[in-house]
Each structure stands twice: as structure tokens, then as C-alpha cells.
Amino acid sequence: MAAVTALPVSLSARFKGSFAYFTVKDRLPQILTKTIDTLHRHKNEFFEEYGEKGVEAEKRAISFLSKLRNELQTDKPVTPLEDELPDAALWNQYLEYQRNLSDGNGEPSWFQSPWLFVECYMYRRIHAALAQNPPIGSFDVFKEGKAQNFFESQEAIIALCTYFQELLKNIKDLDEKQLQGELFKLLQVSLWGNKCDLSFSAGEKSSQKSSPLQCLEDMVPYIIVNDMEKLWSLLINAKKRNTDKCNVRVDIILDNAGFELVSDLVLTDFLLSSKLADEIHFHGKSIPWYVSDTTKSDFNWTIKQLQSANHMWMSRCGINWEGNLKKGVWVYQDHMFWTLPHIYSSMAEVAPDLYADLQRSNLLLFKGDLNYRKLTGDRKWEYTVPFHQALNKFHPAPLCSLRTLKSDTQVGLKPGQGEQIQASEPEWMVSGKYGIVQFDATP
Ligand SMILES: O=P(O)(O)OC[C@H]1O[C@](O)(CO)[C@@H](O)[C@@H]1O
Ligand SMILES: [Mn+2]
């Protein structure tokens, strides 16, 4: 009989001094404070739009959020959700599961429970604070920050759109080697685009300032797992096998809006334009999430912004992308599973419809740190554990994580590799300076 190896422990704020500890202690309360400030700042707007009712709703939302911040800072038990939103029952079941896991070690709480669970729970409660308070129920408290990130990255976006439109002019004449070179470049832009998230900096500015294509070469040594060649083989082989009947479908599980989203859109447009793929499915969040994550409204807003930009190549990108959506070769999807606290190894059970849908894809690209944490279960893995093992049977289709390291979990390194970086750079796992393109195709 094969030996059953126990899974390593979950990252948690109960490990004093860990990144999870600092996040729960400092960054999450900061995010809540900012959220409250944002609501305060919009008070007049709510009044103008909805009169006294708007102001009352704003007050109720603020008091709900202040209570939440207090619960967090005093390590109170995590309480069941009291709203009637469609995912509430699943959340409360998951809380029950955490209760059973804590084995009489007390109720699940902010500083004792798994970090991933309490962090997701905070964003879900932020959502409830608004959703339960019409008429401001659909106000996205993170919208401004996402838009600001987009505007501050304007120059980088122009540089990227211009590069890409020039590339499109002669894409048909590129040989395989050149096509591979361009794919690698755009994969790296999308990888480093993941530096630009806002939950990491507790909502502080984090945009792409310099040209995203210029320093790629210098950054190669910071890609500590680099499976780009494997991605290329998968795509080029699929293209060669491709017949009219069988489309190549690539799915991208999006992360942050702003520059990162634009870099993902360029990458996926390249896959279509080079005929490496015939159909792209985008997966976004159905509620505002982790400050900067992309919702449907962010996705559409971004394409509209590009379209109406006062720059020829930017607007060309926007126009083409709207066309892709209309033609149905780009499909935007969301599913509540992406904003549940569950790790991906439980997707088949919790969201069998989503799992079955992903099984129809030829390649899944998972963007960003949070997706990596959910792929690998957010555990204290040994660095050398194979990626496949950490995925713990999550395998709907060949998949690849494009992520800059912003939390202290990493698998699939060579023996000694992690220790060596650690010796010279103690912050390597959480600084966003290192990245991975980590692939797994084993069923
Ligand atoms: O946008 P990303 O890359 O998923 O990063 C989210 C960030 O939020 C965190 O969850 C921290 O709270 C980290 O994992 C990461 O730094
Ligand atoms: Mn994010």
C-alpha cells in the first residue's frame, strides 16, 4: 500500500513573525481603514445620488466595517455570515469545517486559523458591508485604486500597445523561432505585471512606471522556476495537431486590474493572432476582491478606456479586443468559486461545473500570488516538493502559474536553491522581486 504522507501545516498568523502574522496584524487592518476612508470620502456623492437614504447606508456600512476591524484586531472568533447572498451557505459550511479542524483548540479566529481562510473572509465581509446596504450595494470600494493604477501606468501601457501593434504587422511572416521569442517576451511582461497589485502594498500606489519590455533580459535571473519552453511545446504541438473541428482553447484565471490586466490581454491577443490558440476564456471575480482583482466591470472598463484613448495604438488594441468579445473568440466568465476560501484541490467537489468547464481547455494560465496559494493549498511546503504533488490532485487540464512571490510558500525548486537565495536575500519570498513560470501537465 502506498504510504499516505500528511500535508504540511497551513500558513497562519499563529506563527508569530511570519508573513501571515504581519499581514493579519498590520496590512489587513490598514486595508479596512482605507476602505472606511473611501466610503467617508464618497458621502456627498451618495447624498447627491440617493439623498438621505444613501448617507444612512454609508453610515451602516462604515459601522459594519469598524466592527469587523475590531473583531480582527482583538482576535475574536470568526462568526458565520448573516447575509443572504448566494454563497453564504457555502461559506458557513466552510467555517464549520474549520471548526472541526481546530479539534477543540478553540473557535476559528483571526490569529489562529489558516491565513488564507481569514483573509478571504475579510474580503467577503467587506462585500457584505456594501451588498447588504442598498442603495449603495453595488459600490466597489476598490474601484478608484484600480483606475488610478491604470492611469499611472499609462506610459507603460502605451509602450506595450505600440510594441504589440508593430508586431502584429508582420506576425504572419515570423518563423517558429521568432514566434517563440515573442511569446516568451509577452509571457514575461505578464509575469512581471503581477508586481502591480494593490493588496500587497495595502492599497498604496503600485503601478508600472518604466517600459515593460526594456529590462526583461536583466530580470531573467529572477525567474526561479522557468518552464516557458514547456509552455511553448504544448502550444506549438496543439497548433500542429489542430484541425478545424478541434479548437485550441486557452483559459486565463485573471488577477489584478490595471497594468497587469493589460499585459494579460496583450498576451492572449498574441496567442490568437499567432494562431497558437483559437479561443480564450477569461476568468474574473464576481465581487471586489483582494483590493485590485479584476471584476467584469473592471474588464469592460479597461477595454473601453483603451478604445477611447488618445493614442492610436492603445485605441487600436481596445477596438480589436471589443471585436474579439463580440466575435466570441474571447469569452469573459465568472464563478463564485473564485471568491470562496476553498483551495483548488477541492474545486472538483465544491464547484464541479467549473471543474468540468476547465477540463475543456488545452491550457490554464493562473495569474498571481493568490492563485498560487490556492493551487498549492497555502501550506508550509518544503521548497523541493514537486509542483504536481502540491497541487494535490487538482488537474483539470495542463496548467501554468505566472506569479511574483509575495507570500512565503514555494514548491518545485532545485535542492539548495531556496536556501541559497535566502542567505543573501531574507525577503525573497515576499518582496515581489522573484517570479515563476511553473508548469504542470501530468494528469
Ligand atoms: O494580487 P496577487 O498577486 O494575488 O497578490 C495578492 C497579495 O495579497 C496577499 O494575499 C497578501 O495579503 C499575498 O499573497 C499577495 O501579496
Ligand atoms: Mn490580486
Side-chain angles (χ1 to χ4, degrees):
M1 213 173 84
V4 182
T5 34
L7 293 169
V9 292
S10 298
L11 302 180
S12 165
R14 76 190 158 96
F15 302 112
K16 287 235 169 73
S18 67
F19 188 63
Y21 173 76
F22 287 114
T23 298
V24 177
K25 183 166 99 36
D26 300 330
R27 283 168 52 235
L28 299 189
Q30 271 171 36
I31 288 169
L32 285 171
T33 303
K34 282 210 162 210
T35 307
I36 293 172
D37 287 349
T38 306
L39 286 174
H40 266 306
R41 267 190 297 106
H42 284 79
K43 194 173 175 174
N44 289 342
E45 209 176 287
F46 296 142
F47 181 72
E48 277 157 29
E49 220 169 308
Y50 312 108
E52 262 322 307
K53 283 212 158 45
V55 179
E56 277 159 27
E58 181 240 25
K59 278 194 200 141
R60 282 196 305 273
I62 290 181
S63 92
F64 186 98
L65 291 169
S66 314
K67 183 168 168 283
L68 175 63
R69 185 176 52 190
N70 183 271
E71 288 171 21
L72 185 163
Q73 290 182 308
T74 53
D75 195 20
K76 290 281 181 321
V78 174
T79 54
L81 296 176
E82 288 171 359
D83 55 68
E84 270 152 30
L85 299 171
D87 57 349
L90 278 169
W91 269 95
N92 290 340
Q93 273 166 29
Y94 191 82
L95 173 59
E96 207 40 53
Y97 160 79
Q98 285 294 336
R99 254 197 206 121
N100 296 333
L101 274 190
S102 60
D103 259 356
N105 287 339
E107 286 284 292
S109 75
W110 293 89
F111 283 80
Q112 297 305 316
S113 293
W115 171 33
L116 180 64
F117 167 52
V118 296
E119 196 176 36
C120 289
Y121 176 82
M122 181 188 85
Y123 289 101
R124 178 57 177 75
R125 290 270 305 260
I126 295 178
H127 175 61
L130 286 131
Q132 281 178 300
N133 282 307
I136 62 166
S138 55
F139 181 75
D140 177 353
V141 279
F142 303 129
K143 185 89 206 171
E144 273 180 349
K146 291 184 269 196
Q148 197 180 351
N149 177 292
F150 177 88
F151 292 124
E152 282 170 1
S153 312
Q154 194 82 350
E155 276 181 38
I157 293 176
I158 290 182
L160 182 57
C161 291
T162 307
Y163 176 83
F164 184 58
Q165 290 300 331
E166 294 290 340
L167 171 64
L168 284 186
K169 284 184 193 159
N170 59 358
I171 196 160
K172 286 198 186 69
D173 309 323
L174 299 187
D175 62 27
E176 268 191 22
K177 197 79 213 134
Q178 289 168 319
L179 218 50
Q180 185 200 50
E182 296 302 340
L183 173 71
F184 286 5
K185 265 192 205 160
L186 296 177
L187 277 170
Q188 289 172 76
V189 175
S190 163
L191 163 64
W192 297 122
N194 180 244
K195 277 189 178 183
C196 308
D197 84 88
L198 297 175
S199 96
F200 189 53
S201 53
E204 290 305 323
K205 292 179 184 167
S206 172
S207 51
Q208 175 73 33
K209 289 277 190 293
S210 54
S211 165
L213 289 135
Q214 237 159 40
C215 39
L216 291 181
E217 282 287 310
D218 304 338
M219 286 158 81
V220 170
Y222 296 100
I223 307 179
I224 56 176
V225 177
N226 191 341
D227 290 336
M228 290 198 294
E229 298 275 352
K230 293 183 187 163
L231 265 189
W232 167 255
S233 304
L234 177 130
L235 288 166
I236 195 74
N237 290 333
K239 179 182 163 117
K240 287 178 182 162
R241 272 200 315 269
N242 189 10
T243 59
D244 283 349
K245 278 195 210 98
C246 144
N247 269 358
V248 176
R249 165 173 161 183
V250 174
D251 285 47
I252 180 159
I253 295 75
L254 294 170
D255 189 3
N256 305 302
F259 179 77
E260 181 172 2
L261 175 60
V262 177
S263 72
D264 298 337
L265 296 174
V266 169
L267 170 66
T268 48
D269 187 352
F270 172 78
L271 293 176
L272 276 192
S273 306
S274 60
K275 305 221 165 40
L276 286 167
D278 306 293
E279 187 183 325
I280 311 287
H281 290 233
F282 297 92
H283 299 265
K285 305 294 196 292
S286 46
I287 60 176
W289 200 244
Y290 277 69
V291 188
S292 40
D293 285 11
T294 307
T295 61
K296 184 170 192 184
S297 139
D298 300 322
F299 187 85
N300 292 332
W301 180 88
T302 304
I303 294 179
K304 281 262 151 355
Q305 284 299 317
L306 286 161
Q307 246 180 64
S308 55
N310 202 0
H311 184 280
M312 187 170 59
W313 299 131
M314 249 175 110
S315 77
R316 178 68 62 83
C317 282
I319 293 164
N320 289 349
W321 295 346
E322 165 128 353
N324 288 345
L325 289 168
K326 287 212 171 105
K327 279 184 265 172
V329 287
W330 275 15
V331 182
Y332 180 90
Q333 303 176 212
D334 51 25
H335 192 289
M336 77 161 71
F337 181 80
W338 303 119
T339 50
L340 289 175
H342 300 73
I343 56 175
Y344 295 160
S345 64
S346 37
M347 184 191 287
E349 196 186 328
V350 181
D353 55 331
L354 178 62
Y355 194 86
D357 179 42
L358 297 183
Q359 282 179 314
R360 290 192 272 274
S361 181
N362 295 76
L363 172 66
L364 311 172
L365 298 172
F366 285 89
K367 287 298 315 279
D369 197 73
L370 177 62
N371 272 324
Y372 192 74
R373 293 171 58 194
K374 288 188 160 191
L375 283 167
T376 56
D378 212 35
R379 297 177 182 282
K380 278 199 189 186
W381 292 105
E382 299 277 335
Y383 302 142
T384 49
V385 162
F387 186 35
H388 187 73
Q389 184 183 331
L391 286 167
N392 196 15
K393 305 195 175 63
F394 177 69
H395 208 281
L399 61 87
C400 183
S401 158
L402 297 170
R403 163 235 188 186
T404 58
L405 279 68
K406 290 177 275 183
S407 59
D408 42 6
T409 185
Q410 181 60 51
V411 297
L413 298 188
K414 299 197 188 84
Q417 191 184 3
E419 291 73 6
Q420 199 190 339
I421 312 175
Q422 172 82 30
S424 59
E425 277 186 69
E427 298 292 300
W428 67 286
M429 295 188 97
V430 296
S431 62
K433 178 171 164 188
Y434 289 86
I436 53 164
V437 181
Q438 193 162 33
F439 180 71
D440 182 62
T442 347

